[in-house]
Amino acid sequence: MVTAALGPGPARRALLTRRIRLLVAATITYNVIEAVVAVAAGTAASSAALIGFGLDSVVEVASAAAVAWQFSAADPERRERSALRVIAVSFFALAAYVGFDAVRALLGEGEAEHSTPGLVLAALSLLIMPFLSHAQRRAGRELGSASAVADSKQTLLCTYLSAVLLIGLGLNSAFGWSWADPIAALVIAAVAVREGRQTWRGDACCTPAPPAAGPAASTGPAVSTGPTGSAAKACPDGCCPAPPG
C-alpha cells in the first residue's frame, strides 16, 4: 500500500523557510568569529586541535552558505542535491587537513601549548551550538529538507568537537599532556569523515510513513513520499520530519 505524507501547508512552509534563513545567518555570523579566534589562538599555541576546530568553523560557514544559497531560490528542493554535495565535500576537506596536521604533531613537529582563548572559545561554543542546531534541525525536519538537517548536524558536530577540544586543551594545560591535543584533532577528523559520507549518500533526512489509518493499512508495506514526490524509506535515527507545532 502506498500512502502520501502530508507536509506543511504553503503558509507554514514560508514561515519555516524564513526561520531557516535566519538560523543560517546566525550560524554563519557566529562561525566566522569562531574561525578567526580559533585559528589565531591555535597558531599562537601550535595547537592542531584548535586550528582544526577553527577550520571546522570555516566548513560550517561553507555548509550554511550552501543552505542559504538553496533557500534563496523560489523552489529550494531543486537545489537540494547540490547543497548536500557542497556540505559533504566540506566535511572531507576538513578531515583531510586536520588528520594530516594531527599526525604531524604526533610525530613531534610542534608541541601544543596552553591556550586560554581556546579554552574559553570551546566552552562558549559548547553552550551556544546545541540551541542553533536544535532549532534548525526541527525546522528542517518539518519542512522535509535534507540539506537543512545536514547543516544542523554540522552545527551539532561543532558541539561534540567543542567538548573534545575542551578535554584536549584541558589535559594539556593541567597535566602538560601535549599528545592529548593531536589525539583530539584525530577524533575531529574521524567524525568529519563519518558525517561527510552520510551527507554525500543523502542520509541526513528522510520522510516517515504516516500512521496507519485503519485495518486496510496492514495489507502491504507503507511507503511515503517526500516533498518532491520521491519515495523514501522510514529512517531509524529520528531525523524524519516532525509534525507541525
Side-chain angles (χ1 to χ4, degrees), residues 29-203:
T29 301
Y30 180 82
N31 278 288
V32 167
I33 298 172
E34 186 180 70
V36 171
V37 174
V39 172
T43 301
S46 299
S47 170
L50 195 47
I51 292 175
F53 185 75
L55 292 177
D56 175 69
S57 300
V58 175
V59 171
E60 287 187 55
V61 170
S63 173
V67 176
W69 167 77
Q70 178 193 349
F71 279 89
S72 67
D75 184 11
E77 286 82 5
R78 294 176 64 88
R79 293 181 174 182
E80 181 116 305
R81 181 168 294 275
S82 297
L84 285 172
R85 292 291 187 259
V86 170
I87 295 171
V89 170
S90 299
F91 273 121
F92 293 141
L94 166 69
Y97 180 86
V98 173
F100 172 79
D101 205 40
V103 170
R104 186 179 63 84
L106 283 173
L107 293 177
E109 304 221 1
E111 188 171 297
E113 302 173 1
H114 167 77
S115 175
T116 298
L119 289 167
V120 172
L121 180 65
L124 190 60
S125 296
L126 196 58
L127 294 174
I128 293 175
M129 287 302 173
F131 295 102
L132 282 175
S133 175
H134 174 75
Q136 186 174 343
R137 184 179 178 87
R138 181 176 175 83
R141 285 169 58 192
E142 185 177 342
L143 193 59
S145 171
S147 60
V149 174
D151 187 53
S152 77
K153 291 176 71 175
Q154 169 69 273
T155 305
L156 185 61
L157 173 64
C158 183
T159 302
Y160 301 147
L161 300 189
S162 298
V164 171
L165 178 66
L166 197 59
I167 292 171
L169 294 180
L171 290 175
N172 186 27
S173 297
F175 305 106
W177 295 352
S178 59
W179 51 266
D181 185 272
I183 292 297
L186 287 176
V187 172
I188 292 174
V191 174
V193 169
R194 175 180 175 275
E195 294 297 331
R197 290 177 61 189
Q198 289 185 349
T199 302
W200 185 269
R201 292 197 306 262
D203 292 348

